[in-house]
Amino acid sequence: MDERFTAVLLPFLKFHTDGPLEPESDLRGLGLDSMQAIDLLFAIEDAYGISLPDEAMNDTTFATAGNLWKEVSAVLTGQPGAAAPGTGAA
Amino acid sequence: MSAPVTTGPERTLEALADQVCAVAARHADHADETAVFPTEALAELRRTGLLALLVEGRHGGLDGGLADMVRVTLRLGRTDMSLAMIFAMHCQQVWAIARHAGPDLRERLLPWVAEGRYLASVTTGESTGGHLLTSETGVRRDGDHLMVERFAPVVTGGLHADGFLMTVRAADAESPTAVSLLFADRDQLTVEAAGAWRPMGMRASHSPPLRLSGRIPRAQIIGQDGDFRAIVTRTFGPAAHLGWSAAWLGTATGALARVLAMLRAPGRERTRTSSELLLTRLSRARQRLDVVHALLARTLETVTTADDLSRPPLQLQINALKITAAEECHRAVDDLVDAVGMRHGYLKDSPTGLERALRDLRSASLNYSNDRLHLVDGKLALLDPEVHFV
């Protein structure tokens, strides 16, 4: 997780107190609710100029900081993320 | 053309549901008039074993699944929507226990349910309304126990329940989104009515505000502490939308069937079927119900076969069922009121029963508000930019 990622993420986590954000940090427990997931997604996509795949849009991706970062870094490095492949079009 | 012959367990379930309907029909007018709980019909649900429909056979239940719950709820809805909702929501609680309770709790609760216990759901809050994923009710931890002080503005059948599944903010959690689902036996709680129940419809659901307090073992938390969300996505939400939609569709189906029976009966009303306006209105009502029925069947398949229900296209379909069923079932009965007019459509004592069905169905769009669900769906739609259908 790079600095830009945590900087984008932190404003969505209203219950995060001091201390570093860990990959296993529970985003929902820290205040991210389901209605904000899309706003967070837009913020991340704007920050990196990327677009996350539809396949990554599930509860697992938004469960922890590490899961979300995995999807972001997969797009940045051109590698398939945890959600792909095989979960394609429904 | 002959009707398909239904045999085996399906036939038996429908027969059991009809047995309950026969009792419910005798008391439904009185229950509606006086806004009291249908205790006779609940006793029949107990006696037929239908309260344990979703409990496995080895625990003494009927070994049914969601498809069975839908089938029985449709049947009950034809006679009384309050009863159908009471049944469907009880099944939703049982399903949550069966799928999410730890092994010890499950082994203890399911045989207890199979003995004929009725479970109520406590998920509403003073300022959160029906919003499931926040809870303002903090619980205090006391060793291995939780001290609960809970107010809920709407609890269907709460004063008649043998047990409750209630949402509480996870002990010591800062975040209101860390919500847990807690089982409480009636005997572990003090349950007080905190107001009267004087609604427009759904009067027999007897859903007054309640105040519940007690000291509950932490071991009675269903699923992970603070992770009610997982239960909502996988079980609670889908079961609610399937069950409610079945109750609404059943209600509108019963209304249409009674109107058709009146029009088909020998006598004066039969001559009205030459009216093109009447035919068009009957067609429109039937069309609405066919749409809801098709979506209900499709969503049932999605819920029972999909791996990950959290994906937006699946959530959207489950929510579309609820919104569509609420709107179309109400509109279908409203159409029927126009179709048969003042005497048969509007008067309380008409054998078509449209007046009560319409009042009852008015609650459908409010019962977890369609407006709120549209806000969720708007966000979900944005999360599925390529627009996948399931």
Side-chain angles (χ1 to χ4, degrees), chain A residues 15 28 35 38 54 57 59 90, chain B residues 177 229 310 312 379 385 389:
Chain A
F15 299 111
R28 304 199 188 283
M35 293 296 279
I38 185 72
D54 284 8
M57 299 302 116
D59 276 358
Chain B
T177 58
R229 181 192 172 78
S310 77
K379 300 253 178 178
F389 293 115

Side-chain angles (χ1 to χ4, degrees), chain B residues 263 268-280 282:
Chain B
L263 295 171
R268 218 166 62 84
E269 296 304 331
R270 226 171 182 173
T271 60
R272 296 183 53 195
T273 53
S274 58
S275 157
E276 289 187 355
L277 189 56
L278 175 67
L279 292 173
T280 305
L282 289 179

Side-chain angles (χ1 to χ4, degrees), chain B residues 33-46:
Chain B
E33 196 75 38
T34 51
V36 294
F37 194 79
T39 44
E40 296 86 354
L42 181 69
E44 198 63 22
L45 279 175
R46 199 168 267 145

Side-chain angles (χ1 to χ4, degrees), chain B residues 277-294:
Chain B
L277 189 56
L278 175 67
L279 292 173
T280 305
R281 281 171 170 157
L282 289 179
S283 159
R284 190 64 58 93
R286 171 72 198 224
Q287 175 201 350
R288 293 187 194 284
L289 301 194
D290 270 318
V291 167
V292 175
H293 185 264

